[in-house]
């Protein structure tokens, strides 16, 4: 990675990984890479094109046609799928219900990891996901593993989803998160685990500002090296 810095943020769904990663990247003037959005965009493409998740040839062909990019607008990072803005659509429940299954597919993970590693070769980046500190950037100088009480996580996600999904219930969200946790931690391909050298950040009782200060304290000592 040369002298550039990669901050790897992993953890469970709805722990505020993206919130922290975006704020940290903005504060440090680093590039924010939302790896979860990449897998969600792949899941969206698979949904739209009726890709059979058990058909490896179909998956391999589909991946050749998926081109993902990030761009910044209004101080926010947006993702495009084949030049189409999909930042909002990938957060809908149909994608949420499929994304863990899609991200467990070996071919999908290998392709996404390649793209992510290219992004980290020459830029200072903050990347969040499930396996950034273990599979994507095992040598990252700063690794943070985020967790929070499951009930708090469900309440956070419910507040995020409800405005655009008025029929959704808190119970639906809680069950979805529990299912995703099980899939993420038990899958054969790059399961969600804490890297041995990752710093645990439990933000159950922390404000966004407090968790940002915590993360900054881990990165700022390295800034003189770049």
């Amino acid at each position: 990675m040369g002298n550039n810095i990669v901050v790897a943020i992993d953890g469970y769904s709805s722990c505020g990984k993206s919130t922290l990663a975006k704020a940290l990247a903005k504060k440090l003037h680093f590039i924010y890479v939302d790896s979860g959005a990449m897998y969600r965009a792949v899941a969206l493409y698979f949904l739209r094109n009726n890709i059979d998740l058990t058909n490896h040839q179909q998956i391999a062909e589909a991946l050749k046609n998926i081109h993902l990019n990030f761009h910044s607008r209004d101080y926010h990072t947006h993702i495009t799928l084949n030049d189409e803005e999909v930042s909002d659509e990938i957060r809908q429940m149909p994608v949420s219900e499929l994304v863990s299954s899609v991200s467990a597919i070996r071919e999908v993970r290998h392709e996404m990891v390649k793209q992510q590693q290219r992004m980290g070769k020459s830029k200072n980046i903050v990347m969040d996901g499930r396996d950034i500190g273990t599979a994507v950037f095992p040598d990252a100088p700063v690794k943070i593993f985020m967790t929070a009480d499951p009930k708090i996580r469900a309440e956070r996600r419910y507040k995020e989803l409800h405005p655009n999904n008025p029929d959704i219930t808190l119970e639906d969200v809680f069950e979805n998160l529990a299912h995703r946790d099980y899939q993420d931690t038990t899958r054969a391909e790059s399961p969600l685990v804490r890297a041995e050298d990752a710093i645990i950040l439990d933000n159950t009782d922390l404000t966004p500002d407090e968790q940002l200060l915590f993360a900054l304290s881990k990165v700022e000592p390295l800034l003189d090296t770049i």
Side-chain angles (χ1 to χ4, degrees):
M1 292 185 293
N3 291 327
N4 57 298
I5 294 175
V6 171
V7 180
I9 301 178
D10 292 308
Y12 294 93
S13 178
S14 296
C15 280
K17 296 187 302 296
S18 295
T19 298
L20 174 59
K22 290 174 185 175
L24 188 60
K26 183 177 180 181
K27 187 73 173 180
L28 297 170
H29 302 290
F30 283 16
I31 300 298
Y32 167 59
V33 179
D34 182 354
S35 73
M38 296 172 70
Y39 287 103
R40 283 175 171 271
V42 173
L44 176 61
Y45 183 92
F46 283 9
L47 275 171
R48 288 176 171 180
N49 293 276
N50 299 310
I51 302 300
D52 181 353
L53 301 190
T54 65
N55 188 322
H56 293 278
Q57 182 175 352
Q58 223 181 69
I59 290 168
E61 288 301 315
L63 288 172
K64 294 177 183 178
N65 298 315
I66 294 176
H67 304 284
L68 305 178
N69 281 299
F70 288 96
H71 63 278
S72 181
R73 187 176 72 246
D74 301 326
Y75 301 103
H76 294 286
T77 299
H78 300 261
I79 187 170
T80 57
L81 168 61
N82 297 334
D83 297 323
E84 175 193 355
E85 167 71 60
V86 293
S87 299
D88 291 332
E89 191 172 355
I90 63 172
R91 301 297 171 182
Q92 300 301 312
M93 187 56 77
V95 173
S96 294
E97 291 174 342
L98 187 67
V99 65
S100 287
S101 296
V102 169
S103 62
I105 298 170
R106 179 184 295 271
E107 293 91 341
V108 173
R109 297 206 72 83
H110 284 191
E111 177 59 28
M112 294 302 101
V113 167
K114 285 180 186 177
Q115 294 191 33
Q116 292 158 9
Q117 289 175 336
R118 282 198 295 270
M119 294 176 191
K121 283 184 176 179
S122 59
K123 300 176 182 178
N124 297 316
I125 65 172
V126 180
M127 187 180 298
D128 68 296
R130 301 291 191 281
D131 62 350
I132 309 306
T134 53
V136 185
F137 293 110
D139 297 323
V142 180
K143 300 177 187 177
I144 297 173
F145 188 89
M146 295 181 66
T147 186
D149 181 274
K151 292 182 180 179
I152 298 297
R153 293 164 53 209
E155 289 172 1
R156 291 171 179 168
R157 179 54 62 88
Y158 175 76
K159 290 178 182 177
E160 176 187 323
L161 290 174
H162 188 259
N164 294 320
N165 300 268
D167 295 330
I168 199 172
T169 66
L170 180 59
E171 184 178 358
D172 290 336
V173 177
F174 187 88
E175 290 178 356
N176 173 255
L177 290 180
H179 179 64
R180 290 186 63 189
D181 286 350
Y182 177 77
Q183 287 188 305
D184 289 342
T185 56
T186 60
R187 67 188 179 212
E189 188 68 22
S190 299
L192 170 63
V193 293
R194 180 178 72 88
E196 290 184 2
D197 54 346
I199 303 158
I200 295 177
L201 172 54
D202 185 332
N203 69 357
T204 300
D205 299 313
L206 296 181
T207 67
D209 285 343
E210 287 171 336
Q211 68 178 15
L212 175 59
L213 288 174
F214 176 89
L216 282 170
S217 72
K218 307 303 177 184
V219 181
E220 287 178 336
L222 301 175
L223 297 181
D224 291 339
T225 68
I226 60 177

